Amino acid sequence: MNDILDLPAERDLPPDAAHAMRARILGFVSPPPPRIPRLRIAIAAAVLLAVASGAAAVVWDRPERSTMQVLAMGAGELSPTLRDAAERCLQWNSPQRQTRQAPGERPVPVALADLAVATERGDRALVLFMNDVGYATCDVDGAGTARESGGGATEPWPHGDLLPGPVQRLLLTSTEHDGGDVSVSGRASSRVHRLVLDHGDGHTTTARLSEGAFGLMTNDARLKAGNDPELVSYDARGTEIDRRPLFQAEDQLEHCYADPDGKRIYGKPTSDCRPAETWGR
């Protein structure tokens, strides 16, 4: 068996099914901006894929096995199965694998020490690596087993340590195309001392924050885009400093964000362009 596991081939779908799938994707993700990382995932169940504004979004079918959830912030908190998933992601992102990247792809070299957030539910795991260069993320199904499969995305930071406000969502997964069980991860500025997912129906889920990274998981199947769920940031005094729709693409944020020279680097053009914030590592 090869030391480096190539990603499995994507599933072929009948034209009508593929067209319907594309329509559902475009129904909850705004038109993508020019820069889009590639994301290739092939698993046994039907999968919908969508990528927007440097943030990977994945939708998968509900697993039939255990629904126990684990959230790790860093390599020191990994369960054995999450470690298997992280090591597989590193192999997929290895120098040998990078030599076979398609033209225009810009892979980011990562190591286990760069692991910022990892989650698992049942047989599926998600891992997110971040360093000075950029990020790499993978979805792995059946890590360490004979039926292991999955895929990933990798991209350098488009604007270094500058964020579109207090938080930048990098990875969003859900069991439904518009909600269901949800996992979210990304990076935050030093102003953020508490981050909460407001489900929009009176329920909330608090994210874990560690060294500028955040992660959260919720198994509230009632969470739907139609309830306008939002990520809400608070400062050290408990004052709300930011509120943004969970399912909104980065280029569709209410406010634009500018670098120190006043150049807009995030969001759509508006008259209310705010200063970008610095990643709080």
Side-chain angles (χ1 to χ4, degrees):
M1 183 174 180
N2 293 334
D3 291 335
I4 303 303
L5 178 65
D6 286 332
L7 299 181
E10 295 183 358
R11 297 183 64 198
D12 292 329
L13 293 174
D16 290 345
H19 179 75
M21 183 179 293
R22 177 178 174 80
R24 287 195 297 273
I25 293 172
L26 296 179
F28 89 100
V29 177
S30 59
R35 300 183 69 256
I36 304 175
R38 295 187 63 187
L39 179 60
R40 293 182 297 274
I41 296 181
I43 58 179
V47 177
L48 305 181
L49 304 180
V51 178
S53 298
V58 183
V59 181
W60 60 48
D61 288 345
R62 294 178 184 274
E64 296 179 357
R65 295 185 61 186
S66 170
T67 58
M68 185 181 74
Q69 302 180 40
V70 177
L71 175 63
M73 305 294 290
E77 299 182 3
L78 291 176
S79 68
T81 50
L82 274 179
R83 183 170 291 273
D84 285 342
E87 291 176 349
R88 181 59 71 207
C89 189
L90 291 175
Q91 288 182 331
W92 287 340
N93 205 65
S94 66
Q96 295 94 323
R97 170 66 182 156
Q98 291 178 15
T99 60
R100 300 194 295 276
Q101 297 288 333
E105 283 195 317
R106 301 171 61 195
V108 175
V110 291
L112 189 61
D114 297 320
L115 192 139
V117 182
T119 68
E120 66 179 341
R121 181 189 293 111
D123 289 339
R124 292 198 174 95
L126 297 161
V127 292
L128 172 65
F129 297 88
M130 298 192 295
N131 57 28
D132 291 341
V133 180
Y135 76 91
T137 185
C138 293
D139 169 285
V140 185
D141 181 33
T145 69
R147 63 176 186 79
E148 181 180 85
S149 60
T154 178
E155 186 182 39
W157 302 124
H159 307 292
D161 282 357
L162 295 180
L163 311 181
V167 297
Q168 183 176 39
R169 191 198 73 196
L170 294 173
L171 183 64
L172 167 65
T173 73
S174 63
T175 53
E176 306 293 342
H177 77 279
D178 62 346
D181 298 353
V182 168
S183 298
V184 189
S185 59
R187 54 182 186 161
S189 76
S190 58
R191 285 208 300 155
V192 180
H193 282 249
R194 184 167 178 259
L195 181 65
V196 171
L197 173 61
D198 182 344
H199 297 202
D201 62 357
H203 295 81
T204 60
T205 300
T206 301
R208 284 192 61 190
L209 291 163
S210 177
E211 299 181 354
F214 72 84
L216 67 85
M217 302 180 72
T218 173
N219 61 350
D220 184 357
R222 297 166 299 180
L223 196 156
K224 298 292 182 182
N227 291 333
D228 300 322
E230 296 176 304
L231 286 174
V232 187
S233 304
Y234 299 88
D235 64 15
R237 296 183 177 181
T239 302
E240 181 179 312
I241 57 176
D242 185 73
R243 180 179 288 266
R244 61 186 61 190
L246 175 66
F247 291 97
Q248 188 174 63
E250 198 170 82
D251 65 335
Q252 295 298 311
L253 294 174
E254 179 182 359
H255 306 285
C256 63
Y257 296 89
D259 65 15
D261 295 327
K263 178 183 177 182
R264 179 177 61 85
I265 57 175
Y266 292 111
K268 56 187 177 182
T270 69
S271 58
D272 184 16
C273 207
R274 301 180 175 183
E277 299 194 24
T278 304
W279 184 11
R281 293 180 290 173

